[in-house]
Amino acid sequence: MNIAVFHRKRPGRTGSTRLAAALLGAAVLLFLGLGVWQLDRAEEKRRLAAEIDANAELPPVELTGPLTAGEAPAFRRASVQGRFEESRGVLIGNRRFQGRPGFHVVTPLHIAGSEYRVLVNRGWIAATEGRPPELPADDRPQTVYGEIRYPEPPALVLADAEARAQWGRVWPYLTVEDFAEQAAYPLLPMLLLQAPEEGSSFQRDWSRKPPNPGMHTGYAIQWFAFAAIATGVAIVMLYRQGVRHD
């Protein structure tokens, strides 16, 4: 009597292996895409760093009235003549200097010979027992030197225009657009960070952290490494499945 021995195939295992390999293949594409995206971000940071350096090297621009963004780019030095309007200024709260709580003092400066104002961040001043301090009066005509900025709102903004109107003297953050909504006069669309000067009652440390393209390059390498690992795992799984079938 011949006894036939039948080996039952296990299609489920083969299907599971192929499904896992397909998922790994999708992960490889995702990892590669993320790596390329991080390389693009690194290139953006390099361009931004070059732009900042180039703008900082431009000769100072004199603010006498409306200017285009090309004439007054961020990080360019500027000068302006006029008078501070103390009563229209605001304090930006929760600002710390050397571990001490305080405020940034932002005051509109009425440009000489013009109806326009420009906002000037005059620097940091300490809180008085947690309360806003008394500011030194300074309405004399003067020339202010500084560096142009275009402040942006935080990533999450919950206050609408009506709520912002209730902030009063102390604001949690500043954008020129928000200030202009409440101003009854034309305003240049920029902020001037006033340059440090001896004898000032304000602390001015405007040191900026340069863009870091190396961080994004490192992230890209990590994503490409993940793609290589996932590719290797998929190849090994398919190879072992093929050996079992042979």
Side-chain angles (χ1 to χ4, degrees), residues 18-97:
R18 290 177 178 173
L19 176 60
L23 292 175
L24 285 170
V28 168
L29 295 177
L30 174 63
F31 295 153
L32 290 175
L34 290 171
V36 171
W37 174 64
Q38 288 293 342
L39 289 179
D40 289 342
R41 293 282 292 149
E43 182 58 29
E44 289 177 8
K45 291 295 180 67
R46 279 188 285 270
R47 287 196 297 266
L48 177 59
E51 180 181 343
I52 290 173
D53 292 340
N55 291 345
E57 293 300 321
L58 291 172
V61 60
E62 185 176 2
L63 305 179
T64 58
L67 293 173
T68 66
E71 294 173 311
F75 303 102
R76 184 174 184 176
R77 291 167 295 152
S79 65
V80 59
Q81 296 182 11
R83 295 174 181 266
F84 281 116
E85 298 181 331
E86 303 283 354
S87 62
R88 295 175 170 175
V90 296
L91 302 174
I92 311 304
N94 296 319
R95 298 299 186 265
R96 305 187 74 84
F97 180 76

Side-chain angles (χ1 to χ4, degrees), residues 89-107 120-136 167-174 201-206:
V90 296
L91 302 174
I92 311 304
N94 296 319
R95 298 299 186 265
R96 305 187 74 84
F97 180 76
Q98 296 180 350
R100 300 167 59 199
F103 304 85
H104 278 180
V105 180
V106 177
T107 310
V120 179
N121 188 332
R122 301 165 69 187
W124 178 92
I125 194 167
T128 303
E129 297 181 352
R131 298 190 303 272
E134 292 296 327
L135 300 179
W167 283 351
R169 186 186 177 200
V170 179
W171 290 25
Y173 64 87
L174 172 78
S201 56
F202 301 99
Q203 299 292 336
R204 299 175 185 139
D205 181 7
W206 309 125

Side-chain angles (χ1 to χ4, degrees), residues 90-206:
V90 296
L91 302 174
I92 311 304
N94 296 319
R95 298 299 186 265
R96 305 187 74 84
F97 180 76
Q98 296 180 350
R100 300 167 59 199
F103 304 85
H104 278 180
V105 180
V106 177
T107 310
L109 183 136
H110 190 174
I111 300 174
S114 171
E115 61 178 343
Y116 278 83
R117 277 77 165 173
V118 62
L119 293 181
V120 179
N121 188 332
R122 301 165 69 187
W124 178 92
I125 194 167
T128 303
E129 297 181 352
R131 298 190 303 272
E134 292 296 327
L135 300 179
D138 188 4
D139 60 354
R140 58 189 169 86
Q142 58 187 290
T143 300
V144 176
Y145 300 91
E147 197 171 77
I148 295 171
R149 290 287 197 280
Y150 293 91
E152 297 182 354
L156 181 62
V157 175
L158 300 178
D160 57 13
E162 184 177 352
R164 289 193 295 270
Q166 306 301 317
W167 283 351
R169 186 186 177 200
V170 179
W171 290 25
Y173 64 87
L174 172 78
T175 70
V176 179
E177 293 79 8
D178 291 342
F179 194 97
E181 284 182 357
Q182 303 182 32
Y185 44 79
L187 189 69
L188 296 188
M190 65 191 67
L191 174 71
L192 192 66
L193 301 183
Q194 189 170 359
E197 59 184 354
E198 293 184 4
S200 172
S201 56
F202 301 99
Q203 299 292 336
R204 299 175 185 139
D205 181 7
W206 309 125

